[in-house]
Amino acid sequence: MVAAEWCDAFGVVTRGRALLELRDGEPGTVLGRDTGFRLGGTGARALRNPNLVCQSPNDGGTR
């Protein structure tokens, strides 16, 4: 992730929960459903959702 590309990024958790992973690898805040968040200034290096099931429009499968 290039920090400059995400400085103004805003997201909303629509299902389940998301976990912010901090730059030092430690877990950060757990965001619940209907939570809005801005990535800039959070110190996050990743967003995690270990229970997330994704379906790609290209492969029709889950991962």
Side-chain angles (χ1 to χ4, degrees):
M1 168 173 110
V2 177
E5 294 176 4
W6 290 94
C7 66
D8 292 328
F10 184 82
V12 176
V13 179
T14 58
R15 285 187 287 189
R17 296 180 298 175
L19 169 68
L20 290 178
E21 181 180 308
L22 303 178
R23 287 187 189 123
D24 61 5
E26 292 295 316
T29 304
V30 176
L31 306 169
R33 185 174 179 219
D34 296 331
T35 301
F37 60 95
R38 185 172 157 237
L39 288 175
T42 63
R45 73 173 187 175
L47 262 167
R48 305 267 181 226
N49 183 338
N51 299 318
L52 180 65
V53 176
C54 299
Q55 183 168 348
S56 168
N58 297 327
D59 65 14
T62 59
R63 46 189 155 135

